[in-house]
Amino acid sequence: MNTFLDRRRERRSPPVLRGPAQIAADQVRLDVTILNVSRSGVMIALPEDIALPDRISLIVGTMLQPCEVVWRDGTSAGLRFD
């Protein structure tokens, strides 16, 4: 029996914007995949397990959104919108 208790504050949705996304920090850009979206942030998949700074920018098309990295687990990360 699955006893997983979802303690997230907000409902998650699949990404509405499909296609390339990037994260940027210190003049470096990295292609990522947005896995889910909430009102307060996103979960992304990274192409490899790399170190991230505490603050990055998420780039989707022409939108640039400053974010805080709130958790990391291998090639996944949770970003909170500023």
Side-chain angles (χ1 to χ4, degrees):
M1 183 167 96
N2 186 353
T3 58
F4 175 74
L5 178 60
D6 189 351
R7 294 186 175 138
R8 296 182 278 195
R9 293 183 206 165
E10 297 180 20
R11 183 173 164 245
R12 301 311 192 256
S13 302
V16 175
L17 298 173
R18 297 212 182 260
Q22 295 182 324
I23 56 173
D26 300 325
Q27 305 298 323
V28 175
R29 288 189 180 205
L30 181 66
D31 292 331
V32 299
T33 302
I34 297 175
L35 300 176
N36 66 43
V37 179
S38 72
R39 289 184 340 173
S40 60
V42 296
M43 178 180 172
I44 60 170
L46 302 159
E48 57 189 83
D49 187 1
I50 60 167
L52 291 177
D54 293 337
R55 307 203 65 72
I56 61 175
S57 294
L58 176 68
I59 303 164
V60 179
T62 59
M63 181 198 78
L64 185 137
Q65 174 65 55
C67 298
E68 175 186 5
V69 178
V70 292
W71 62 266
R72 281 291 313 272
D73 185 13
T75 59
S76 297
L79 310 180
R80 181 179 303 135
F81 300 138
D82 284 349

